[in-house]
């Protein structure tokens, strides 16, 4: 056994759960975005979008809602929803109608587009090589920002005929936006407004114990990741009662919420009326994970491109360290929403992001002390604290009052 194998064992145990948990969700893997929308009586369209570097991404569209039928000739304002790390378009639907943002926006009269980044279970195709090959997984959030995001924005614009769209991102869905907009300046003009839920850029004031432990061990994590090219972490998936007849006990729920690295204790999310299951649907690359760990280095916190090591950095960037992303180039209107109990997006780091963005309009702290990183997607009060304020802002843009 190689020297770093112990770390891989620890990471596997924390990220992947048990065989018993795997068997519990075997019958749930067919619950997809089209399946959920159809089940609840919403229209759905599926598209494949090819990026400049050959990745084939799957996008879903909800052209109208049950509460807002489409009239003939009507062209609705478009909004692109972008999920976070190790997740998928499922995030915006799985807590069900009247609660999940995808349904809410469609019912409010918006043309809703659900994006998927390369590597997640909806987007494991490439024009030239298979996801079974290591080369497929050689990407980081940099590629999400400069390839995946622009391709999806352009597709929505071409399909709808709009010149601008709204963009809503969660976690890494915000990170890739900052990356793309900082490097592809012309795309700022294609965004009416961007809403950042649990924004991630600077991370040197995060409270997550696991990430703080791993931060000094970046080289070890890189070594392990080189052997395990594709990480398939188990993520919490919340599904409505119509999606499953099985629920976890309170003790199981508490263990799940307190163990994974992207969650923390004192969660606002509850299992009162929902079913919580574990799924290994979504994958990520080792480069994305390494970038996340690297950005948590408190001694030299940067929001910058991927660190390939000194020699490769000189070859790629012309200097020993990667270049920072210039956030002043992000000139699209940005609205920040963050939770006081978010272990990844700390208030000091949010302040720094707010001050460096080229056009940060508002910095909104959720007025609930237990609101955490995943409550933006799964929280029972997400509508009151997040979705309604976002919808009010979008409606203000539509009315021309902003």
């Amino acid at each position: 056994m190689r020297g770093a194998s112990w770390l891989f064992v620890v990471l596997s145990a924390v990220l992947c759960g048990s065989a018993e948990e795997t068997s519990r969700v075997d019958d749930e893997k067919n619950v997809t975005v089209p399946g959920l929308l159809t089940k609840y009586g919403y229209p759905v369209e599926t598209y494949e979008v090819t990026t400049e570097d050959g990745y084939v991404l799957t996008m879903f569209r909800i052209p109208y809602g049950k509460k807002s039928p489409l009239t003939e000739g009507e062209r609705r304002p478009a909004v692109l929803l972008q999920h976070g790390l190790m997740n998928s378009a499922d995030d915006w639907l799985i807590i069900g109608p009247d609660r999940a943002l995808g349904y809410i926006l469609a019912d409010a009269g918006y043309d809703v587009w659900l994006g998927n980044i390369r590597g997640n279970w909806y987007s494991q195709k490439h024009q030239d090589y298979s996801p079974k090959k290591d080369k497929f997984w050689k990407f980081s959030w940099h590629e999400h920002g400069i390839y995946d995001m622009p391709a999806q924005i352009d597709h929505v614009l071409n399909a709808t005929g709009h010149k601008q769209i709204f963009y809503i991102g969660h976690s890494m869905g915000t990170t890739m936006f900052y990356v793309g907009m900082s490097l592809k300046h012309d795309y700022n003009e294609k965004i009416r407004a961007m809403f950042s839920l649990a924004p991630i850029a600077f991370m040197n004031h995060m409270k997550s114990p696991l990430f703080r432990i791993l931060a000094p061990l970046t080289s070890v994590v890189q070594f392990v990741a080189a052997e395990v090219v594709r990480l398939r972490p188990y993520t919490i998936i919340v599904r409505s009662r119509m999606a499953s007849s099985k629920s976890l006990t309170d003790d199981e729920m508490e263990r799940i919420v307190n163990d994974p690295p992207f969650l923390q204790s004192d969660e606002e999310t509850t299992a009162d009326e929902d079913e919580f299951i574990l799924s290994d649907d979504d994958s990520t690359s080792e480069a994305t994970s390494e970038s996340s760990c690297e950005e948590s280095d408190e001694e030299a916190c940067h929001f910058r491109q991927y660190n390939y090591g000194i020699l490769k950095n000189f070859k790629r960037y012309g200097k020993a360290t990667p270049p920072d992303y210039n956030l002043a180039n992000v000139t699209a209107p940005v609205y920040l929403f963050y939770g006081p109990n978010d272990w990844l997006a700390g208030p000091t780091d949010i302040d720094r992001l707010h001050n460096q963005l080229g056009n940060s309009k508002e910095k909104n702290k959720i007025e609930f002390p237990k609101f955490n990183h995943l409550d933006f997607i799964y929280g029972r009060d997400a509508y009151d604290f997040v979705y309604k304020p976002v919808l009010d802002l979008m409606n203000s843009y539509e009315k021309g009052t902003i």
Side-chain angles (χ1 to χ4, degrees):
M1 180 175 289
R2 297 191 181 186
S5 296
W6 65 271
L7 182 59
F8 173 63
V9 172
V10 172
L11 289 174
S12 297
V14 173
L15 295 176
C16 295
S18 66
E20 181 181 353
E21 289 161 348
T22 304
S23 63
R24 177 162 51 229
V25 300
D26 281 345
D27 59 341
E28 301 298 335
K29 292 183 180 179
N30 291 325
V31 182
T32 62
V33 166
L36 288 170
L37 288 169
T38 301
K39 183 186 292 289
Y40 289 116
Y42 285 77
V44 59
E45 299 173 6
T46 303
Y47 299 88
E48 286 192 339
V49 179
T50 303
T51 67
E52 184 181 338
D53 59 341
Y55 284 83
V56 181
L57 315 178
T58 298
M59 296 188 72
F60 300 106
R61 182 187 193 182
I62 316 173
Y64 57 91
K66 289 174 63 176
K67 298 179 181 179
S68 60
L70 193 65
T71 59
E72 186 176 354
E74 180 183 7
R75 188 174 67 163
R76 300 190 168 199
V79 54
L80 171 60
L81 306 185
Q82 186 57 64
H83 63 82
L85 180 66
M86 298 184 290
N87 291 99
S88 72
D90 297 344
D91 283 11
W92 307 105
L93 301 175
I94 52 184
I95 60 174
D98 299 321
R99 296 183 61 189
L101 186 56
Y103 303 107
I104 290 169
L105 290 171
D107 283 333
Y110 287 89
D111 184 354
V112 182
W113 293 78
L114 310 177
N116 288 290
I117 59 173
R118 63 187 65 194
N120 85 358
W121 75 306
Y122 289 115
S123 300
Q124 294 192 9
K125 292 174 62 177
H126 191 278
Q127 289 181 322
D128 298 322
Y129 38 84
S130 165
K132 295 180 180 180
K133 302 296 184 180
D134 290 1
K135 189 174 182 180
F136 180 94
W137 300 97
K138 298 299 182 182
F139 55 80
S140 72
W141 59 30
H142 182 80
E143 285 71 28
H144 296 320
I146 67 169
Y147 295 126
D148 296 354
M149 185 196 69
Q152 294 182 106
I153 289 175
D154 284 341
H155 181 83
V156 176
L157 292 174
N158 291 334
T160 62
H162 289 302
K163 293 183 178 180
Q164 290 185 317
I165 63 172
F166 293 108
Y167 182 108
I168 301 176
H170 174 248
S171 191
M172 200 183 72
T174 71
T175 310
M176 57 189 280
F177 182 88
Y178 309 143
V179 168
M181 294 300 166
S182 70
L183 296 175
K184 297 200 166 191
H185 308 160
D186 55 319
Y187 277 84
N188 284 281
E189 300 301 320
K190 301 180 180 185
I191 303 299
R192 296 184 70 183
M194 187 274 188
F195 304 94
S196 288
L197 313 186
I200 295 294
F202 304 105
M203 297 177 67
N204 58 320
H205 289 89
M206 65 180 177
K207 296 186 291 184
S208 173
L210 180 62
F211 276 88
R212 285 204 170 275
I213 291 171
L214 291 179
L217 303 176
T218 303
S219 60
V220 180
V221 175
Q222 290 174 336
F223 177 85
V224 175
E227 297 185 55
V228 187
V229 173
R230 178 173 49 174
L231 299 179
R232 301 205 62 177
Y234 282 71
T235 57
I236 286 192
I237 301 298
V238 189
R239 303 202 187 274
S240 69
R241 276 190 275 182
M242 294 184 68
S244 172
S245 60
K246 302 175 182 179
S247 61
L248 302 181
T249 66
D250 290 341
D251 288 342
E252 288 175 316
M253 186 62 209
E254 182 178 0
R255 175 174 57 80
I256 291 168
V257 170
N258 287 329
D259 282 347
F262 283 91
L263 297 176
Q264 61 269 356
S265 59
D266 298 324
E267 82 291 347
E268 188 265 341
T269 305
T270 70
D272 289 346
E273 295 182 357
D274 300 303
E275 315 303 336
F276 289 72
I277 64 174
L278 292 174
S279 172
D280 69 340
D281 288 338
D282 300 307
S283 302
T284 185
S285 75
E286 78 278 11
T288 298
S289 299
E290 291 161 20
S291 294
S292 299
C293 294
E294 182 184 1
E295 299 310 321
S296 64
D297 184 352
E298 190 166 0
E299 293 299 320
C301 180
H302 296 271
F303 181 46
R304 61 189 183 186
Q305 297 188 34
Y306 185 68
N307 189 349
Y308 291 91
I310 294 177
L311 294 179
K312 289 186 178 180
N313 284 344
F314 268 111
K315 183 177 181 180
R316 183 176 290 263
Y317 307 125
K319 60 179 186 176
T321 58
D324 288 9
Y325 295 109
N326 186 356
L327 291 171
N329 289 337
V330 184
T331 56
V334 176
Y335 296 81
L336 304 174
F337 290 81
Y338 69 101
N341 192 39
D342 192 328
W343 282 18
L344 293 182
T348 302
D349 296 326
I350 298 297
D351 287 343
R352 186 177 180 185
L353 173 63
H354 174 68
N355 292 332
Q356 291 194 24
L357 284 169
N359 192 11
S360 183
K361 294 294 187 182
E362 292 181 6
K363 182 182 60 173
N364 301 287
K365 178 181 177 180
I366 306 302
E367 294 302 324
F368 184 78
K370 294 184 177 181
F371 207 89
N372 69 37
H373 198 72
L374 290 189
D375 286 330
F376 285 92
I377 302 297
Y378 307 133
R380 61 183 176 183
D381 294 321
Y383 175 81
D384 294 328
F385 289 124
V386 184
Y387 302 161
K388 187 178 186 302
V390 168
L391 190 56
D392 288 344
L393 285 167
M394 293 172 67
N395 290 338
S396 294
Y397 274 90
E398 282 300 296
K399 295 174 183 177
T401 56
I402 294 182

